[in-house]
Amino acid sequence: MDSIAILDFGSQYAQIIARRVREAQVYCELFPWDTPMEKILAIQPKGFILSGGPRSAYEDGAPYVQDFIFKTGLPILGICYGMQALTYALGGQVDPSAQREYGYAEIEALVSSPLVSSLSTVWMSHGDRITKLPDGFVALAGSGNSPFAAMGDMKRKYFGVQFHPEVHHTPNGEKLLKHFVVEICGVKPNWTPASIIEDSVSRIRKQVGTERVLAAVSGGVDSSVAAALVHKAIGDQLVAVFVDTGLLRENEGEQVASAFREHLGAELLTVEASDEFFSALKGVTEPEAKRKIVGEKFIRVFEGQAKQLGQPKFLVQGTIYPDVVESSAPDRNKAERIKTHHNVGGLPEDIQFELVEPLRYLFKDEVRAVGEALGLPESLVWRQPFPGPGLTVRCLGEVTRERASRLRAADAILLEELSKAGFLGKRGSSSSSTGPGSTICQANRTAARTVSQAFVVLLPVRSVGVMGDQRTYQEAVAIRAVTTEDFMTADWARLPHDLLARVANRIVNEVDGINRVVYDITSKPPATIEWE
Ligand code: XMP
């Protein structure tokens, strides 16, 4: 498959560039800027995109464009720092600007070029600027602050833009990227769900041959789509296992099992292990300790299951591309590392399996598109994220069977009411990319009648209430409902008061042991989505 190599110079937008290129149905991969030549050329790129980055191209030790890239003779597009690094490498001049330029800017085309002809408003974020173009280049567009807002060397097919075409704040920016990859690099736009499935199926068949393959399905999108892909490739050689930890949402196991049976014609083996989980969690209240216990228990139960099944050689994992990229990216944004603690439910490295990772090169929206193309139901493909350690992170204090049931019942009421009122579903789970932080909240707010994630948290707090003529002294729950595009930042959902009233009323009336309901009105940051 034709592809594009994107070199990451430490930009917070590097993944977004990759997503825009994929949206143009062109396969691309992201590499840290200093990745060895063999690794980059192994994907046989037909062009390079150089990302932005926080450094100055003229500083000692600054990331640079490796020489082999020029030697390939392939087209290059430099974005922001990428343009400056390109300029610097080719003998142009890069200097500090008098003032950092951040925000919207208007550009004007200086020559007729299809690369920039559809753009006028663009998003800038740079401290340095180009003061002299390298030989062979002409200015394609200028702005008040940047005389060289875009540059090109038509002969060598080298281009640079000072702004960020990949962010939503640059209207039509995606057209620039598409023009570069399709017209200038000549890549055929054939990266579609159908081609992804075809490619994966043949890879999986080649990898596993006639061996049996085990998959742990959690009800999450990734593990379900990964298992569905493997099932399409090898049918009954796949054994999909669902571990009922007792820490799942209402009807979770049945829903996933019926989705598999009805839509894929595949059986899901359910392992009832809740006793083991609750006894291991007995008396434990510290959040990290609870996570660890669930993670370890899960592995033990799963290993036992594998043994009973005659120790299949292969194991399916739903690793997706952002996990892969984040573990190898240049040190850019510590905030992203916060997510490492989310992998608690993962499997240890020494486990005796060879991994099958059919989603390893897919972004979340591609995973969903593949899931839909495979015939998985919308309810599974557009499911809300659910933490690996399950209800443990939402059951504050000790997790007992009784408290988990209480939480599950309250949660089911919230989800039922939200669903009836049309707040759940596809639109609410949008995973399209984000622009700079300050505007994410605006985007979140415009997702008016949808929520991206909603759940109930059981608090280790009891308070006095009155029911009938009786004094009560029972637990409280918090409702958490957020809108977000990427779950890295989120805003609390402005749910209608009537809806909240209905939910609170039903919870207190229908769930034993809860006499108070509060609504969480903090955004992320400073709060997180889950409470723990
Ligand atoms: P926070 O709480 O960090 O969560 O704002 C961000 C998103 O990640 C989900 N989350 C988890 N997912 N294992 C997971 O698979 C976990 O341990 C975990 N903790 C949080 C959370 O539901 C939210 O969507």
Side-chain angles (χ1 to χ4, degrees):
M1 177 141 350
D2 283 354
S3 67
I4 295 288
I6 300 170
L7 300 181
D8 182 357
F9 287 89
S11 167
Q12 55 176 323
Y13 304 141
Q15 277 197 42
I16 303 180
I17 302 174
R19 292 182 51 168
R20 294 283 165 272
V21 172
R22 298 269 187 102
E23 280 162 20
Q25 300 189 330
V26 165
Y27 184 69
C28 63
E29 280 188 38
L30 256 174
F31 298 93
W33 66 273
D34 54 353
T35 304
M37 174 175 87
E38 307 72 52
K39 224 173 147 191
I40 297 174
L41 296 187
I43 68 160
Q44 300 183 323
K46 294 192 91 177
F48 297 94
I49 298 180
L50 318 177
S51 85
R55 304 287 297 272
S56 288
Y58 46 80
E59 270 172 12
D60 273 353
Y64 57 90
V65 188
Q66 298 189 72
D67 208 36
F68 79 85
I69 289 173
F70 297 113
K71 292 203 175 114
T72 62
L74 293 166
I76 302 174
L77 170 67
I79 294 174
C80 197
Y81 180 88
M83 176 201 207
Q84 294 160 7
L86 182 65
T87 300
Y88 194 68
L90 296 174
Q93 182 80 24
V94 181
D95 289 304
S97 310
Q99 213 179 351
R100 191 179 160 77
E101 190 181 11
Y102 183 80
Y104 289 107
E106 295 298 321
I107 59 162
E108 205 180 321
L110 301 173
V111 295
S112 153
S113 158
L115 194 72
V116 290
S117 59
S118 50
L119 301 178
S120 55
T121 301
V122 298
W123 184 261
M124 294 280 192
S125 174
H126 62 112
D128 291 341
R129 64 181 194 167
I130 288 158
T131 45
K132 182 177 153 280
L133 293 178
D135 287 346
F137 280 79
V138 293
L140 301 180
S143 75
N145 259 317
S146 304
F148 306 122
M151 65 178 195
D153 173 338
M154 314 304 161
K155 216 155 133 204
R156 288 183 287 183
K157 297 191 181 171
Y158 291 168
F159 298 89
V161 289
Q162 187 53 77
F163 51 88
H164 289 273
E166 69 275 25
V167 302
H168 282 310
H169 310 279
T170 298
N172 294 325
E174 74 286 357
K175 288 191 182 152
L176 181 152
L177 290 168
K178 185 173 183 182
H179 181 83
F180 176 73
V181 297
V182 175
E183 306 300 334
I184 296 174
C185 300
V187 177
K188 277 188 225 80
N190 53 10
W191 181 248
T192 59
S195 74
I196 298 171
I197 292 171
E198 197 186 310
D199 187 57
S200 302
V201 163
S202 74
R203 272 173 206 258
I204 295 165
R205 284 185 185 149
K206 208 159 133 204
Q207 184 186 1
V208 309
T210 54
E211 293 282 344
R212 283 203 313 155
V213 179
L214 195 58
V217 177
S218 67
V221 183
D222 304 338
S223 68
S224 302
V225 174
L229 257 176
V230 175
H231 183 261
K232 181 162 176 82
I234 57 167
D236 292 345
Q237 277 168 255
L238 171 75
V239 186
V241 176
F242 182 87
V243 178
D244 186 347
T245 57
L247 302 162
L248 303 163
R249 288 169 290 191
E250 188 101 311
N251 298 327
E252 191 127 38
E254 294 87 75
Q255 279 172 14
V256 178
S258 81
F260 265 66
R261 195 171 306 127
E262 284 157 33
H263 297 267
L264 299 178
E267 281 306 320
L268 193 63
L269 194 69
T270 301
V271 181
E272 158 56 61
S274 60
D275 280 348
E276 289 184 50
F277 281 84
F278 287 120
S279 49
L281 285 164
K282 198 160 188 293
V284 187
T285 54
E286 206 274 314
E288 279 306 308
K290 291 198 292 188
R291 270 178 183 277
K292 232 168 138 211
I293 288 170
V294 175
E296 281 169 10
K297 196 41 87 198
F298 188 86
I299 291 158
R300 214 143 324 131
V301 169
F302 195 76
E303 276 177 338
Q305 198 55 36
K307 212 175 275 167
Q308 276 187 29
L309 290 165
Q311 202 66 51
K313 183 171 171 203
F314 292 95
L315 176 73
V316 182
Q317 269 221 324
T319 318
I320 67 170
Y321 199 42
D323 305 332
V324 177
V325 170
E326 267 158 38
S327 58
S328 66
D331 194 19
R332 84 168 76 105
N333 184 354
K334 293 257 170 16
E336 288 181 355
R337 301 282 156 78
I338 293 170
K339 289 222 152 184
T340 43
H341 75 264
H342 291 171
N343 297 329
V344 169
L347 297 160
E349 276 169 18
D350 63 351
I351 202 158
Q352 299 296 310
F353 287 109
E354 197 178 308
L355 293 181
V356 180
E357 297 181 299
L359 313 178
R360 198 177 162 77
Y361 294 100
L362 303 188
F363 285 111
K364 193 82 172 185
D365 43 0
E366 293 173 322
V367 172
R368 291 204 160 105
V370 166
E372 283 184 336
L374 285 168
L376 286 172
E378 192 179 309
S379 58
L380 195 59
V381 170
W382 290 93
R383 233 174 160 71
Q384 295 185 5
F386 187 61
L391 293 183
T392 324
V393 299
R394 298 177 182 169
C395 192
L396 276 58
E398 187 185 0
V399 189
T400 60
R401 190 181 285 278
E402 187 197 2
R403 292 189 78 229
S405 311
R406 189 174 292 157
L407 169 56
R408 190 165 23 245
D411 190 65
I413 291 173
L414 172 71
L415 295 183
E416 187 190 322
E417 290 296 335
L418 283 173
S419 169
K420 265 200 245 164
F423 279 90
L424 297 183
K426 200 161 168 170
R427 290 163 307 140
S429 318
S430 159
S431 66
S432 65
S433 68
T434 60
S438 59
T439 48
I440 289 170
C441 285
Q442 279 168 22
N444 291 337
R445 275 188 209 108
T446 58
R449 279 191 65 83
T450 57
V451 296
S452 314
Q453 194 173 12
F455 51 86
V456 168
V457 186
L458 182 63
L459 307 180
V461 171
R462 292 209 286 172
S463 68
V464 173
V466 56
M467 239 181 163
D469 290 330
Q470 298 280 313
R471 175 188 191 270
T472 58
Y473 185 54
Q474 295 178 332
E475 289 189 306
V477 292
I479 295 174
R480 184 63 162 150
V482 296
T483 54
T484 175
E485 290 204 342
D486 62 355
F487 298 90
M488 306 284 276
T489 65
D491 198 10
W492 60 279
R494 297 338 190 232
L495 293 177
H497 292 175
D498 287 352
L499 174 62
L500 288 169
R502 208 158 47 240
V503 173
N505 194 31
R506 280 195 59 194
I507 290 178
V508 171
N509 280 305
E510 295 174 30
V511 185
D512 278 347
I514 298 174
N515 69 350
R516 193 176 293 273
V517 179
V518 297
Y519 189 43
D520 180 351
I521 53 166
T522 36
S523 299
K524 172 185 179 179
T528 52
I529 297 175
E530 303 285 350
W531 278 43
E532 293 216 43

